[in-house]
Amino acid sequence: MHELKISPKVKDALEKRKPIVALESTVIAHGLPYPHNIETAKALEQICTENSVVPATIGVLKGEIIVGMTEEEISHMLEDDPLKIGTREIPYVVALKKSAATTVSATMRIAKMAGIDVFATGGIGGVHVGDWDVSQDITEMSKTDMIVVSAGCKSILDVKKTIEFMETFQILVLGYRTDKFPIFYEGLSSYKLDHVVEKPEEIAKIYLAKTELGIEGTILVANPIPEEHAISESEVEVYIKQALKECEEKGITGKQVTPYLLSRVAQLSNYKTLRANIELLKNNVRLACQIAKEITTLKLQG
Amino acid sequence: MHELKISPKVKDALEKRKPIVALESTVIAHGLPYPHNIETAKALEQICTENSVVPATIGVLKGEIIVGMTEEEISHMLEDDPLKIGTREIPYVVALKKSAATTVSATMRIAKMAGIDVFATGGIGGVHVGDWDVSQDITEMSKTDMIVVSAGCKSILDVKKTIEFMETFQILVLGYRTDKFPIFYEGLSSYKLDHVVEKPEEIAKIYLAKTELGIEGTILVANPIPEEHAISESEVEVYIKQALKECEEKGITGKQVTPYLLSRVAQLSNYKTLRANIELLKNNVRLACQIAKEITTLKLQG
Amino acid sequence: MHELKISPKVKDALEKRKPIVALESTVIAHGLPYPHNIETAKALEQICTENSVVPATIGVLKGEIIVGMTEEEISHMLEDDPLKIGTREIPYVVALKKSAATTVSATMRIAKMAGIDVFATGGIGGVHVGDWDVSQDITEMSKTDMIVVSAGCKSILDVKKTIEFMETFQILVLGYRTDKFPIFYEGLSSYKLDHVVEKPEEIAKIYLAKTELGIEGTILVANPIPEEHAISESEVEVYIKQALKECEEKGITGKQVTPYLLSRVAQLSNYKTLRANIELLKNNVRLACQIAKEITTLKLQG
Ligand SMILES: [Mn+2]
Ligand SMILES: [Mn+2]
Ligand SMILES: [Mn+2]
C-alpha cells in the first residue's frame, strides 16, 4: 500500500486541528540556486513557526510521499537529482521509487490527500505563449479544494490568457488588497480582477462557504509582492531580451529555455530578481499563515 | 452553515416528486430592460403554473441562496444592484453576504444542489470570438447532471467553436425537431446537429439513462425560436454593425461591449429583438415543462 | 433500469479476478473494411485467449450495452449500420434503443463501469489540425481510471498539440521501450516522451499506485508498431496528398474526409497500411494482455 508519510508534527497538527500551511519542494530543487534554496526553505518554515502555524513541506523521496519534510529529507531529495513533477507524474515516481520535487499541482493534490487547506507558493503555472502549452496547475486548480496563495504568475506567461483560463475552468481568483492581477516579482499587471478582499478572514469565510456548498476547486489568492521589492517590467524586459538573445546564439530550445532565462535574468539583474523572488515567497507564506489561522478559528466556532 | 433557502412550494414539489423547472435570475437582472424583465419573469412562472409545473427562480439575496424566489425577493435583489455570477463566484457572494443574479452555470449548480433536473434559459454562454474567452457554462455543463433547454447561443459567439467545445467536453446536444444548431433570436445556424429528437419523452428517457449509467454532465436541448418570431441574420447584422461602430466611436471596450450591443440592437430593431428574446424564453419554458413532466412520469413508473 | 449485459465469460473473470482486456467495436464497424474487420476482431480475441486473458469486446446492440460481445452479437451490430459513439452519446443510443460501435472514450467508460482495468486500441483520438476540433478521448482519459494501450495517434492529427493536451489534462503517457511518441503505422514521431518504461510490470505498478492514491485518469501506454511493419512518413505522405487532392476534386468535405482518406490510403498503398494497422492492433493487444496479467498478480499479492 502506498501511504503518505506524514511527519509527527504535521500529524499532531491535523489531529488537534491546528493551522498548517503546505509548501512545495520545486522552489527548493529547481526554483532557487544553492544555497539560497536551502536557506529560503528554512526561512519559510520559520515564518510559519513564528506564526504558530505548522509548515508542511511536500516532496517525494525514493517513491515515498512526504508531508512535512525534515531538513535531512530535503537534503536527501536534493542529492537524488529529483524529477520535477505535477499530479499526473505522482504515481510514476511512487511506483518506480524515484525522488521528486513537487510543483504546484502535485503539492496541492498531496496536501489535499493529507487534509491541508492552505498552500503558499511563489507563482502558479498557467498558459504559455504559443499554440497550446498550458500547465497542469490550471487543471489541478479546477478540481482540488484548496487555498493557493501566490504572487500571480510570471509575466513570461500569457497573463491575459491565464486569467481567462481560470475563469473558464472556474478557479476563483481573489485579489488581496489589489484589483490588478500580480505578475510575480514585477508587481502588478494591467489586468483587472473582479473580486477583491481586504482581510484574511474574508478568504477563510469564502473557502468554508465553498467547501460547505460542495463546490470543487481552488481559490487562488493573488498576493502582490510588497511594492518596495518589486522590479519594473521595463527593467526585467531588458534582462529577458538579453537572455533570449543568448538562447538563440547558444541554440538553447524547448524545456531548457525557462531555466536558462531564470538563472541568466538573476545574474544580469545582479540578483535583484532572486531577492525579489525570496521576498514574495515570504510574503505569501505570511498571508497563508493568517488565512490558515482564520480557518482554524472559524472551524472551531463551527 | 450555508444552506439553500428553498421556497415552501418548491420544497413541497421536491418531496412529492412533482415536476419542477429551474429559472435563472440573470435574465431578470441583466438580460432584459425594466419593466420587461419583471413582466417576463412573471410570465415564465405563469407558463409553469399553467402546465402544473412548479417554477423555481434561482438567485442570491444578501448571501442567501434562494431556490424559488418570490416577487418580493426578486425586487429586493434588483434593488441591491446584484452581481452577475457563475458557479465559481457562488462562495464569494455567499460568504460576503452580497446579492447576485445567477447565470446559466450558477443556476444549474444550485438547481442540482436542490435536486432539480430541468432548467430553462434563453441562450447558453459559449466560446467568444478571439483568442480565449470561454464561458464557465461549458465547464459547468461538462460536470453537472441537468437538462438545459435553450435556443442555442447568440450568433455573436463563435458558434462553430461553441459546438466543438461541447463535443470535446462531452455535453450531449439534442436538436429539438431540428438538425441545425439554433442561434437565439436569429433562428437556425448552418451548423449540423447529429442528434435530433422529436418528443419531450425521448429527452426524458435519454436523461434518465444518463443518470442511471452514472454519466455526468448536461443534456443541452437546442430549441429554436418559433419561426414566426425569428429575425433574419442579415437584419440583425445591420444593427450589430451599427452598434459596433458606435462602440468604437464612444470608446466602449471589454466587458462593456456586450451589454451595449444588446441594448442598442434592441433599440435599432424597434424592440423586435426584445420581443423575440421574450418569445424564445417562453418557448423554452414550455418545452422544459413538458420534459419535467415526462421525467416525473417515467420516475413514477420506476 | 439500464444495466450492462456482461457475457458469462467476462462475468466469471471479474468474479474470479482473472485478467481481462477490453476491446473496442469501432475498429470493427468503422476502422477496417470487410472481411478484415471480422477476421481482425477474431484474431485479437484469440491473442487474448492464447495468453490466458479474457477478451471483452464492447459495443451497443439495440440499446443494450454489451461487455464481451459474441460473434453473433457483432454480426447483428454490423447489420444495424451502427452509429459511432463516444461517451456523451451512450445515453442517447441506450434510451433510443439504437445499435452503436464504441470509440475509445465510450469503450473506456463502459469498461470502467464493468470493472475492467486494461483496454487495447489502435490509436487514440486527439487534437485535429485547425481551430478547435478535439476528441472526447482527451476528456475521457482525463477522468477515467484505465490503462489504454495504443500506438499513439495518427500523424494526420496535430501530434504535438495532442501531447500537450494530455499534459494539461493530466493524462500520464508512458513510452513503452521508446522515448518518442508513436504515430500509428508510421512508427515514431520526433516528439520526446519524458516517461519511459521497459516492462509491463512497471506499468501495472504505476497504475496500482495511481488507483491507491485516488488519482483519477488514464495511463496511456504508447506502444510503437514493430519496426518491420512500420511505413515511412514520406511514403504515407504521398498517398495522403493524392487522397486529399481527390477530396478536393470530388468535393468531399467535413466528416467525410477522414474515412475517405483512410480507405484511399489503404488502396494506394496496396493495402500495406491496412496490414500495418492490423499488426499494430495485435501488438497492442499482446502488451495489454501482459499488463492485465501483471495487475492480476500484483492484486493477488495484495
Ligand atoms: Mn507544458
Ligand atoms: Mn469570459
Ligand atoms: Mn471533433
Side-chain angles (χ1 to χ4, degrees), chain C residues 15 49 66-69 88 128 130 134 166 181 202 274 281:
Chain C
E15 276 164 16
T49 314
I66 305 177
V67 180
M69 296 182 96
R88 72 164 179 168
H128 288 260
V134 180
M166 290 196 285
F181 191 77
E202 290 173 301
L274 179 62
L281 279 164

Side-chain angles (χ1 to χ4, degrees), chain A residues 90-286:
Chain A
I90 297 173
Y92 174 80
V93 295
V94 164
L96 303 187
K97 302 198 183 307
K98 292 178 188 288
S99 293
T102 51
T103 60
V104 167
S105 66
T107 308
M108 283 174 65
R109 181 60 69 103
I110 294 165
K112 168 83 181 167
M113 289 178 194
I116 299 171
D117 294 312
V118 185
F119 162 43
T121 185
I124 58 155
V127 182
H128 289 259
V129 175
D131 202 15
W132 182 284
D133 183 3
V134 180
S135 169
Q136 284 187 60
D137 292 359
I138 297 287
T139 302
E140 189 64 33
M141 289 193 290
S142 78
K143 296 193 272 191
T144 297
D145 300 318
M146 181 91 13
I147 293 172
V148 176
V149 182
S150 87
C153 69
K154 296 204 178 80
S155 71
I156 52 169
L157 294 186
D158 186 329
V159 178
K160 183 168 182 289
K161 230 165 154 177
T162 298
I163 297 170
E164 285 286 350
F165 265 67
M166 291 196 285
E167 182 186 335
T168 302
F169 292 106
Q170 306 190 320
I171 300 152
L172 179 61
V173 182
L174 297 176
Y176 184 67
R177 297 179 183 172
T178 177
D179 67 348
K180 296 286 192 316
F181 191 77
I183 40 174
F184 210 67
Y185 44 54
E186 292 169 57
L188 295 173
S189 74
S190 58
Y191 299 109
K192 196 97 168 31
L193 287 174
D194 288 327
H195 306 98
V196 177
V197 291
E198 299 295 329
K199 289 184 285 183
E201 191 195 355
E202 291 172 300
I203 301 166
K205 280 185 174 169
I206 296 168
Y207 179 71
L208 291 178
K210 194 180 78 59
T211 54
E212 277 176 19
L213 291 165
I215 296 175
E216 67 289 347
T218 289
I219 294 175
L220 181 71
V221 179
N223 187 33
I225 186 170
E227 230 175 299
E228 65 271 26
H229 299 294
I231 311 169
S232 78
E233 268 190 84
S234 55
E235 187 180 341
V236 175
E237 215 172 296
V238 172
Y239 306 138
I240 289 179
K241 271 198 186 148
Q242 169 66 19
L244 278 173
K245 207 181 121 198
E246 293 174 16
C247 280
E248 229 185 276
E249 287 164 9
K250 299 186 180 179
I252 294 168
T253 56
K255 297 219 166 185
Q256 310 311 319
V257 172
T258 299
Y260 184 83
L261 279 191
L262 293 180
S263 103
R264 273 303 279 154
V265 166
Q267 289 167 341
L268 291 166
S269 74
N270 203 15
Y271 297 98
K272 217 160 130 183
T273 58
L274 179 62
R275 284 191 301 276
N277 194 342
I278 293 169
E279 287 304 327
L280 67 84
L281 280 163
K282 288 180 178 173
N283 190 49
N284 290 341
V285 172
R286 274 190 292 267

Side-chain angles (χ1 to χ4, degrees), chain C residues 3 9 36 107 125-126 130 152 170 174 187 226 235 271 284 293 296 302:
Chain C
E3 278 165 19
K9 270 189 198 163
H36 303 281
T107 308
Q170 306 191 318
L174 297 177
E235 189 180 341
Y271 297 98
N284 290 342
K293 287 162 85 169
T296 306

Side-chain angles (χ1 to χ4, degrees), chain A residues 164 167, chain B residues 128 133-134:
Chain A
E164 285 286 350
E167 182 186 335
Chain B
H128 289 259
D133 183 2
V134 180

Side-chain angles (χ1 to χ4, degrees), chain A residues 37-111:
Chain A
N37 57 349
I38 299 281
E39 283 166 23
T40 305
K42 274 189 214 170
L44 299 182
E45 298 224 349
Q46 206 181 328
I47 291 171
C48 291
T49 314
E50 283 166 10
N51 281 280
S52 313
V53 169
V54 176
T57 298
I58 287 172
V60 183
L61 190 58
K62 300 192 194 309
E64 191 165 43
I65 300 173
I66 304 176
V67 179
M69 297 182 95
T70 62
E71 262 192 71
E72 222 194 321
E73 287 167 336
I74 289 174
S75 297
H76 281 323
M77 182 192 72
L78 293 176
E79 286 161 23
D80 277 0
D81 189 15
L83 294 171
K84 181 179 166 182
I85 62 162
T87 301
R88 71 163 180 168
E89 290 89 12
I90 297 173
Y92 174 80
V93 295
V94 164
L96 303 187
K97 302 198 183 307
K98 292 178 188 288
S99 293
T102 51
T103 60
V104 167
S105 66
T107 308
M108 283 174 65
R109 181 60 69 103
I110 294 165

